[in-house]
Amino acid sequence: MADEKQEKMEVLRKFADVAALAGIRGEIDEEELMFVAGFELKAGRSQMVYVRPLPGSLQDKDAVCIHSPCRRVKKGFMRGLGKDQALELLLLNSELMLARYNVVDFGDEMLVMASVYCALETLDPSELEDYFWHIAIAADNYEEKFGGDDF
């Protein structure tokens, strides 16, 4: 387990170096094993963007998942994500260039997230900056549609 944590920390350190070159101000959360950055957007809105390390996951090369939550959905009868909303997410995915929407199950609730996976080895600063802004804006647009600014 300690080796896995060290591998993830090493990926996060490499990622943080690229982020710094891209002008992205964030920090490594050593407890959660994520890189975290906040973005100020239009009309006083903001969005948090997280990076999860994926050591050795891309043909034995390191990758990262850049993601931002945009909607919390409770599970249960007459709750959750309806069929029409799920189809809408799929349609919205076809309009996005550097992000996609997905749903992550957290037991009693699900989170709709905007995300992208990328190889760390070939990630350059300008590409990373594009990913971060596209993820933040896609997540915020979806969140704003439901009247929130929670993330």
Side-chain angles (χ1 to χ4, degrees):
M1 190 67 156
D3 287 342
E4 182 180 344
K5 182 176 181 176
Q6 288 175 336
E7 285 179 353
K8 288 181 177 183
M9 284 301 298
E10 183 59 30
V11 170
L12 288 172
R13 282 189 207 74
K14 289 178 189 175
F15 179 85
D17 290 344
V18 178
L21 291 172
I24 295 169
R25 283 184 258 145
E27 60 186 40
I28 295 173
D29 181 333
E30 292 187 29
E31 195 169 304
E32 295 293 327
L33 291 175
M34 284 196 272
F35 181 89
V36 182
F39 286 82
E40 296 300 319
L41 303 171
K42 64 182 189 274
R45 296 180 62 80
S46 62
Q47 195 69 32
M48 296 300 295
V49 178
Y50 304 90
V51 178
R52 184 169 43 99
L54 303 166
S57 64
L58 189 61
Q59 298 174 341
D60 292 328
K61 293 182 179 161
D62 297 334
V64 293
C65 174
I66 304 169
H67 63 280
S68 183
C70 47
R71 183 173 175 212
R72 184 173 279 116
V73 181
K74 296 287 182 193
K75 287 181 165 181
F77 184 66
M78 299 297 288
R79 293 181 168 182
L81 199 61
K83 175 185 164 190
D84 290 342
Q85 291 172 345
L87 287 173
E88 178 187 35
L89 282 174
L90 290 174
L91 289 170
L92 288 171
N93 277 343
S94 69
E95 298 171 12
L96 296 175
M97 293 285 290
L98 299 176
R100 68 180 172 87
Y101 293 109
N102 59 315
V103 179
V104 180
D105 190 337
F106 283 95
D108 64 336
E109 67 180 11
M110 297 181 297
L111 283 180
V112 177
M113 295 198 193
S115 66
V116 67
Y117 290 82
C118 48
L120 184 56
E121 183 177 309
T122 57
L123 187 60
D124 68 55
S126 63
E127 179 184 18
L128 176 59
E129 183 180 21
D130 288 344
Y131 283 143
F132 260 83
W133 282 107
H134 277 81
I135 294 294
I137 291 167
D140 188 64
N141 286 344
Y142 191 78
E143 185 179 13
E144 185 176 33
K145 182 177 184 164
F146 290 92
D149 192 15
D150 300 327
F151 302 102

